[in-house]
Amino acid sequence: MSKIIFMGTPEFSTKVLEMLLAEHNVIAVVTQPDRPVGRKRKLTPPPVKQVAVEHAIPVYQPEKLSQSQELEELIGLNADLIVTAAFGQLLPESLLQSPKLGAINVHASLLPKYRGGAPIHQAIIDGEKQTGISIMYMVKKLDAGNIISQQAIDIEVQDDVGSMHDKLSFLGADLLKETLPSIINGTNDSIAQNDDEATFASNIRREDEKIDWSMSAEAIYNQIRGLSPWPVAHTIMDGENLKIYASRIEKDKNGEPGTIIETTKKAIIVATGSNDAIALTDIQVAGKKRMLTANYLSGVQGTLVGKVLS
């Protein structure tokens, strides 16, 4: 049975790892170091490490893989194949070249679209109707290797990053399960990517989370769901941060962009740069927990109408 090194970090990667553990011989897992999480900054292992520990698989956690002691140890394992899924680091060329079957990546987009670290977020932000999984051979250039297999999935209008993340994690595991025999047997017909068609999905920056109310309602709606439930779109109300987890488009309602033009029992309705407004339905005000807007409004004294979000 082929010896496999798996490399991944977040929840997305765990479904792929679980499939490999059930079907193949995983000899080592490589993931990012434990990080402080939450207000108490408790040191927490990444999800992939938790799965590996449960199955008694050796875990490597280099801060930076290149020129590390761990790199030499991994090469010395003489693995037949490396499988990565949302690992979070570029692999040194010496490691890419060490397994006889090469290194493959399970990537959450239909390559060559959305190369990079935030393909699920960016596809939703851009209003795409479809995304998918690509399984490809890894090369030194980011997400640019030959494609072995792909499978598309629809992005429904109500989907956000959380729902698409879950759908794609299962799809990735299933597609890899189908594809691995052809990789191990060397019978697949991989196809070179067209670099001219490549687009990129860089990791989300803090400035990408801020809502510009002069944009169209559709663009703002896509931004909100493309950042929910993490890292979350935000705006400023009364000088404090207001996080927005969910919204809907209100047709044919307009006003000065960013102005609260109406409230209902369940929503705060904000004018945008188009003829439609955005109804905020799931929010988090500074110092409070996430809540339905209905619950927030039940405790508000006075009116919010006329306030300007920035």
Side-chain angles (χ1 to χ4, degrees), residues 27 62 85 101 105 136 183 199 215 219 242-243 278 304:
I27 61 170
L101 297 174
N105 183 36
M136 62 172 181
I183 295 168
T199 61
M215 297 193 304
L242 176 68
K243 292 183 176 182
I278 287 287
L304 297 178

Side-chain angles (χ1 to χ4, degrees), residues 8-21:
T9 298
E11 193 67 36
F12 175 85
S13 315
T14 61
K15 296 296 180 287
V16 175
L17 176 55
E18 287 166 354
M19 183 280 294
L20 290 172
L21 289 167

Side-chain angles (χ1 to χ4, degrees), residues 7 17 42 47 53 56 64 73 85 97 123 145 178 205 298 305:
M7 309 178 76
L17 176 55
K42 181 181 179 183
V53 169
K64 188 176 181 183
E73 291 179 22
Q97 294 177 351
E178 293 175 14
R205 304 165 299 172
S298 68
V305 174

Side-chain angles (χ1 to χ4, degrees), residues 39 240-241 284-289:
R39 290 185 178 182
E240 294 192 309
N241 207 42
Q284 183 177 3
V285 297
K288 302 288 185 180
K289 292 183 178 180

Side-chain angles (χ1 to χ4, degrees), residues 29-83:
V29 165
V30 188
T31 189
Q32 299 281 36
D34 297 2
R35 304 290 189 200
V37 173
R39 290 185 178 182
K40 295 184 178 179
R41 310 301 290 162
K42 181 181 179 183
L43 199 63
T44 304
V48 159
K49 179 182 179 180
Q50 296 177 44
V51 174
V53 169
E54 287 171 7
H55 289 81
I57 305 297
V59 177
Y60 296 79
Q61 293 180 275
E63 188 69 52
K64 188 176 181 183
L65 195 50
S66 60
Q67 298 180 335
S68 66
Q69 178 63 40
E70 289 91 343
L71 174 61
E72 299 307 315
E73 291 179 22
L74 290 166
I75 292 172
L77 293 176
N78 296 314
D80 298 303
L81 178 69
I82 292 173
V83 177

